[in-house]
């Protein structure tokens, strides 16, 4: 198993930090990438960081994570979380721990955001901590894939 974790970002999250800061904060996607790399580095992991507005490309990357023997996946599939059986199926096939992250608490928002296909197959779900949720997800994954002694 490699020491790389895939951090996958779904549609519209390329806009992070530029619109709706009241909901999603002021940090940009580049800031999130930096946070993920620093957190992973502290735990002896590397990061493959990707964002796409296209469902199929996200499916391709989940398959790639298996093909490259990645240690796990952190995913915020954004609106595809609530709609994509294709992403659900890809996660079922990947056979690696997957942590679902949302910047906002999706359960405190509109009812159409309450149902997640990904939650059904994820190892863990983190929502509502803003971008710190990514650091928490990486720390949790590190504990699963490379438990520390003592
Ligand atoms: O809270 C989250 O992380 C979400 O996954 C964000 C998605 C939303 O569809 C989910 O229900 C919850 C929306 C991402 C849109 O991102 C933007 C960021 C900045 C400005 C505009 C959109």
């Amino acid at each position: 198993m490699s020491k790389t974790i895939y951090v996958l970002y779904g549609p519209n999250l390329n806009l992070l930090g530029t619109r709706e800061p009241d909901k999603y904060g002021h940090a940009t996607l580049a800031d999130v990438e930096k946070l993920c790399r620093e957190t992973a580095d502290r735990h002896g992991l590397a990061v493959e960081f990707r964002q796409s507005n296209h469902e199929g490309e996200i499916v391709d990357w989940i398959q790639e994570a298996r093909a490259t023997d990645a240690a796990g996946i952190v995913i915020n599939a954004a609106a595809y979380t609530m709609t994509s059986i294709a992403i659900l199926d890809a996660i079922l096939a990947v056979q690696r721990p997957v942590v679902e992250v949302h910047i906002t608490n999706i359960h405190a928002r509109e009812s159409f955001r309450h149902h997640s296909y990904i939650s059904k197959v994820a190892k863990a779900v983190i929502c509502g901590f803003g971008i710190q949720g990514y650091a928490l997800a990486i720390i949790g994954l590190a504990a699963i894939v490379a438990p520390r002694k003592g």
Side-chain angles (χ1 to χ4, degrees), residues 12-13 15 19-20 24 76 78-79 82 102-104 106 113:
N12 296 306
L13 285 164
L15 299 175
R19 317 236 174 99
E20 300 190 72
Y24 300 113
N76 182 350
M82 292 85 197
H102 298 284
I103 295 167
T104 59
I106 56 175
R113 297 185 200 276

Side-chain angles (χ1 to χ4, degrees), residues 13-144:
L13 285 164
N14 52 311
L15 299 175
L16 211 57
T18 67
R19 317 236 174 99
E20 300 190 72
D22 47 316
K23 278 197 202 92
Y24 300 113
H26 291 279
T28 64
L29 203 57
D31 296 329
V32 180
E33 179 170 1
K34 186 165 177 278
L35 172 68
C36 290
R37 290 196 188 285
E38 287 171 357
T39 309
D41 191 54
R42 278 201 299 278
H43 290 82
L45 296 169
V47 165
E48 199 57 56
F49 192 92
R50 313 258 178 94
Q51 187 276 332
S52 179
N53 293 330
H54 305 280
E55 185 176 13
E57 193 164 33
I58 297 169
V59 170
D60 288 344
W61 291 338
I62 294 168
Q63 292 183 7
E64 182 184 306
R66 180 173 161 90
T68 59
D69 206 18
I73 298 175
V74 173
I75 184 166
N76 182 350
Y80 289 143
T81 304
M82 292 85 197
T83 62
S84 180
I85 296 170
I87 292 176
L88 161 74
D89 284 341
I91 292 173
L92 280 173
V94 77
Q95 295 179 314
R96 298 289 184 282
V98 172
V99 182
E100 175 184 356
V101 175
H102 298 284
I103 295 167
T104 59
N105 177 358
I106 56 175
H107 303 289
R109 298 184 63 188
E110 306 96 319
S111 59
F112 63 82
R113 297 185 200 276
H114 296 177
H115 173 266
S116 162
Y117 282 105
I118 295 174
S119 294
K120 302 204 171 299
V121 290
K123 176 84 184 165
V125 181
I126 296 172
C127 71
F129 279 111
I131 68 162
Q132 289 304 325
Y134 293 93
L136 296 172
I138 290 169
I139 292 166
L141 260 186
I144 294 169

